[in-house]
Amino acid sequence: MSFPTPVEWIGLIVRITLLLTPFFVFSVFLSLAAEEHLDAKLQRKLAHRTAFAVMISCIVLYLFGNWIFQYLGITIDAFRIGAGLVLLLNGIDLVRAKGIPPGRDISGSGDPSVVPLAIPYTVGPGTIGTLIVMGAADQGAGNRIAAVVAIVCATFFLGVVLHFADALERVLKARGSSILSKLTGMYIVALAAQIIFAGVRNLIFG
């Protein structure tokens, strides 16, 4: 059983962490907490539930999402292009957006830690597609174990950001949070372009 090198593993953690757009989710989390009039204790509980819901969603998608290819007859490269395009749009929205898209009800229904915080704001279509592509492309138990641990680490970081949301808001202010979200969006745009290029290259040249 071979595992990624420490440098590769750290890079994977960073990649998944940025894929989850923690600072955009942070701004949505604060808006929802303010709308629901949550005190500090309830905010922390919501932060923990959100991180847990994101972790479970990502692990399930990574480990079992590749069944889509087997049962629907979709090639991994075709799905890679589609997922890359959706992720590209998500990244562009992050770069251009000034906040929560107008007309979106952030309170949702039921447990807000699952909807809308975990799905679709954290684990949206682009993230779902990317995780499925990663799960289908990774071979070997070592790579899969490393990826699952990386997902746990990334969602732990997300949970820490949300847990200390009030303190971070005082430090970053609205402008700082916006800058971090836009930088994350730029990374996602670059990642999406790389995924699309890989899919196109494999379809054309085999």
Side-chain angles (χ1 to χ4, degrees):
M1 184 187 306
S2 61
F3 290 90
T5 65
V7 173
E8 292 173 339
W9 186 64
I10 292 173
L12 182 60
I13 294 175
V14 172
R15 179 182 180 184
I16 295 175
T17 299
L18 293 176
L19 188 64
L20 298 179
T21 61
F23 295 104
F24 171 72
V25 179
F26 156 77
S27 63
V28 176
F29 178 86
L30 287 175
S31 297
L32 188 145
E35 182 178 292
E36 299 294 326
H37 306 289
L38 301 181
D39 58 28
K41 183 178 180 180
L42 290 176
Q43 281 191 40
R44 288 192 293 270
K45 286 184 177 181
L46 179 60
H48 302 162
R49 293 201 308 269
T50 300
F52 182 75
V54 171
M55 180 184 68
I56 296 301
S57 300
C58 289
I59 290 175
V60 169
L61 286 166
Y62 174 79
L63 292 178
F64 305 109
N66 62 334
W67 288 355
I68 290 177
F69 303 114
Q70 299 175 9
Y71 290 111
L72 299 183
I74 302 173
T75 65
I76 183 173
D77 291 310
F79 195 88
R80 183 178 277 125
I81 294 171
L85 289 172
V86 174
L87 190 63
L88 178 65
L89 294 176
N90 287 354
I92 292 173
D93 283 344
L94 272 180
V95 173
R96 298 178 59 188
K98 298 181 179 178
I100 299 170
R104 300 285 294 271
D105 179 11
I106 67 170
S107 61
S109 59
D111 187 355
S113 65
V114 179
V115 178
L117 286 175
I119 302 171
Y121 278 111
T122 309
V123 187
T127 305
I128 291 171
T130 303
L131 288 170
I132 292 175
V133 167
M134 287 173 57
D138 283 348
Q139 301 295 326
N143 288 333
R144 287 184 168 270
I145 292 172
V148 169
V149 174
I151 289 172
V152 172
C153 292
T155 52
F156 176 79
F157 175 78
L158 174 66
V160 170
V161 169
L162 299 184
H163 180 92
F164 295 104
D166 280 342
L168 284 173
E169 183 184 27
R170 290 192 294 271
V171 172
L172 295 174
K173 307 297 184 182
R175 183 178 297 274
S177 177
S178 175
I179 291 172
L180 289 173
S181 290
K182 291 179 186 299
L183 289 175
T184 302
M186 287 301 298
Y187 170 82
I188 289 177
V189 168
L191 176 62
Q194 186 177 35
I195 292 172
I196 294 170
F197 176 76
V200 172
R201 179 190 59 197
N202 292 341
L203 283 177
I204 294 176
F205 300 105

